[in-house]
């Protein structure tokens, strides 16, 4: 226990040191616009990201905003390790997962770019729900954690709806460990049915698939209806390729990626990577279930961006 506390303090200190420049940073890029927009939010829960917008109202200065962002970042880093441990990783593996998340350059946007707070809060909600779902999910406290996490995820950003994919996926991945203890009224597929019903209801409530695909579009600038399905799919492939390359080549990382500049070949390669990852998730589901789960997470995490763009 003492070692864990010392290791935790060291990792937190290292993370704060790595992002120390945020304390003297002002608003950057779209931070100020996000702050102004949040002050004017009067819409509904789902469409206006009301939970993340509310946090902007209590962080009127850059330093306060960066403090909240870093706190969310550290909390997510801790939950990444807890989620890994709950999913069956060794203690060393869980610590490694947290360390990579907290110190990898790819995640720096969540820590120091204030506008990314909605994404950070949505991720926090997803991780809370997944930690609660990884195990005896039918217990009262687990169900409460899943509900709390889902509300945080969806209330922070629309893409947080991915929690309805990842929670059933996590329960499915843990089904072998929990099968003997699960009561008859709690089969592993039951949460998947509930999630499917919620997703279908949400799509209809939002105005149907056509409205969902064109969410946040602007006439004359970007409408999915202005292009063919092939053009639309290839464009999303460019985004996937950007994320993939930026993960291993941080120099390409930017809060305003110019996906239109991605070469056609790279866009095709991005779609290929996504299809290959989905195929690997299916083929390895028995031989390497943890690798399969990781690949499935990647695919499910990308899906909202593929649909709403």
């Amino acid at each position: 226990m003492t070692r864990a506390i010392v290791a935790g303090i060291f990792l937190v200190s290292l993370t704060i040191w790595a992002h120390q420049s945020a304390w003297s940073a002002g608003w950057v890029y779209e931070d100020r616009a996000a702050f102004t927009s949040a002050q004017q939010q009067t819409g509904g829960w789902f469409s206006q990201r009301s939970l993340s917008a509310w946090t902007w109202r209590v962080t009127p200065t850059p330093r306060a905003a960066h403090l909240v962002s870093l706190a969310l970042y550290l909390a997510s880093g801790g939950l990444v390790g807890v989620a890994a441990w709950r999913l069956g990783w060794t203690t060393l593996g869980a610590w490694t997962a947290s360390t990579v998340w907290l110190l990898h350059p790819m995640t720096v946007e969540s820590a120091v770019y204030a506008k990314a707070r909605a994404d950070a809060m949505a991720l926090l909600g997803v991780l809370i729900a997944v930690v609660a779902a990884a195990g005896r999910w039918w217990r009262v406290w687990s169900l409460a954690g899943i509900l709390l996490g889902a509300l945080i995820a969806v209330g922070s950003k629309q893409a947080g709806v991915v929690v309805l994919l990842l929670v059933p996926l996590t329960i499915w991945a843990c089904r072998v460990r929990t099968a003997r203890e699960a009561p008859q009224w709690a089969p592993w597929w039951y949460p998947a049915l509930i999630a499917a019903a919620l997703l279908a209801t949400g799509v209809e409530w939002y105005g149907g698939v056509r409205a969902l695909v064109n969410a946040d579009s602007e006439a004359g600038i970007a409408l999915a209806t202005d292009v063919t399905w092939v053009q639309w799919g290839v464009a999303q492939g460019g985004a996937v390729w950007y994320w993939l390359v930026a993960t291993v080549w941080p120099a390409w990382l930017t809060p305003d990626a110019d996906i239109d500049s991605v070469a056609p070949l790279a866009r095709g390669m991005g779609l290929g990577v996504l299809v290959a990852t989905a195929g690997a998730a299916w083929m390895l589901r028995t031989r390497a279930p943890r690798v399969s789960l990781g690949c499935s997470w990647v695919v499910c995490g990308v899906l909202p961006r593929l649909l709403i763009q």
Side-chain angles (χ1 to χ4, degrees):
M1 185 66 179
T2 303
R3 288 185 177 181
I5 294 175
V6 172
I9 294 175
F10 176 74
L11 184 56
V12 169
S13 301
L14 192 60
T15 303
I16 293 175
W17 174 81
H19 299 96
Q20 58 182 305
S21 60
W23 300 120
S24 58
W27 299 125
V28 298
Y29 193 46
E30 295 181 336
D31 282 348
R32 190 177 298 279
F35 173 74
T36 302
S37 176
Q39 303 299 313
Q40 301 170 348
Q41 297 287 15
T42 57
W45 171 268
F46 182 75
S47 60
Q48 298 297 326
R49 310 177 184 183
S50 60
L51 185 59
S52 54
W54 176 82
T55 65
W56 279 97
R57 300 188 182 112
V58 297
T59 54
T61 65
R63 178 167 291 185
H66 291 313
L67 177 62
V68 170
S69 294
L70 189 57
L72 290 170
Y73 185 68
L74 289 168
S76 295
L79 285 175
V80 165
V82 174
W85 179 72
R86 292 271 289 168
L87 289 169
W89 288 34
T90 63
T91 301
L92 177 60
W95 276 104
T96 301
S98 283
T99 302
V100 171
W101 164 258
L102 289 171
L103 299 179
H104 194 289
M106 180 64 180
T107 60
V108 68
E109 184 175 312
S110 299
V112 299
Y113 181 35
K115 186 178 182 294
R117 185 184 303 168
D119 297 90
M121 292 181 64
L123 173 63
L124 187 68
V126 167
L127 288 171
I128 291 173
V130 165
V131 167
R136 301 179 182 90
W137 61 269
W138 56 86
R139 293 189 171 184
V140 174
W141 287 110
S142 295
L143 293 173
I146 292 172
L147 178 60
L148 174 63
L151 290 175
I152 293 174
V154 177
S156 299
K157 190 172 183 177
Q158 293 93 324
V161 74
V162 73
V163 70
L164 297 178
L165 299 177
L166 295 178
V167 165
L169 177 64
T170 301
I171 291 173
W172 174 83
C174 298
R175 71 193 185 284
V176 175
R177 289 193 288 127
T178 60
R180 294 183 179 179
E181 302 175 77
Q184 292 184 343
W185 58 267
W188 66 264
W189 47 264
Y190 194 59
L193 290 180
I194 296 176
L198 289 173
L199 285 171
T201 302
V203 169
E204 288 303 313
W205 173 69
Y206 203 78
V209 175
R210 188 182 184 87
L212 189 65
V213 171
N214 283 284
D216 298 328
S217 298
E218 294 184 39
I221 298 178
L223 284 175
T225 51
D226 292 337
V227 298
T228 66
W229 282 99
V230 174
Q231 291 173 317
W232 175 75
V234 171
Q236 309 317 313
V240 173
W241 184 253
Y242 161 74
W243 289 328
L244 176 66
V245 175
T247 300
V248 296
W249 186 25
W252 206 24
L253 185 63
T254 171
D256 187 26
D258 185 7
I259 303 302
D260 292 333
S261 67
V262 178
L265 177 60
R267 297 185 183 195
M269 292 170 66
L271 284 178
V273 168
L274 189 62
V275 172
T277 304
W282 176 256
M283 291 187 293
L284 297 174
R285 66 190 187 281
T286 302
R287 288 185 297 167
R290 292 175 189 170
V291 176
S292 173
L293 179 62
C295 291
S296 300
W297 265 64
V298 171
V299 175
C300 291
V302 170
L303 281 180
R305 175 60 73 179
L306 293 183
L307 185 62
I308 307 172
Q309 182 65 25

